[in-house]
Amino acid sequence: LAGQALGARRPDRARAVARAALKLGCLAMVPLPVLMLFTPHLVVHWFATDPAVAEAAASYLRIAGLVLFAMCLEVIYENVAAGVGDTVPAMTIEVLGTLLRVPFALGLAHLGIGSDAVWWSVAATVVIKAAAFEVWFRADRWATRTQA
């Protein structure tokens, strides 16, 4: 819809559509962090019966639950970027942000965090990518692109 609004030369509408999508996406996610943070085993038992696997999965859900709203922002703005045809910044944010996961995980593992280092690395890079997408969105260059 943001791309359609830009095509109609309505950047104000494109901004409003993007913000509305963000609000709706975050609103739809409200129950998930509660489940993930406070009752991860209720979710995990559907997928894992091995106690070690269940505990690792529950740990991941607790950590991911902390950054779920940042993940929502990342995914929605990435799709806004695709919709308006501003894909290079989105690709750059996603690739660089994802590449950071390996050194972050290694660094955290050396601090003795164990396998949770991977989950914390993913969580940290989700927040970094969400912040980068927010900067991209607020810079507003995407809304003033000349459409072919």
Side-chain angles (χ1 to χ4, degrees), residues 53 73 75 90-91 94 98 117 120 126 133 141-142 148:
V53 172
L73 189 146
V75 170
M91 179 194 65
E94 287 298 329
T98 301
W120 283 111
V126 163
F133 272 113
R141 286 186 292 274
W142 62 271

Side-chain angles (χ1 to χ4, degrees), residues 81-94:
V84 301
D86 199 16
T87 56
V88 172
M91 179 194 65
T92 303
I93 291 167
E94 287 298 329

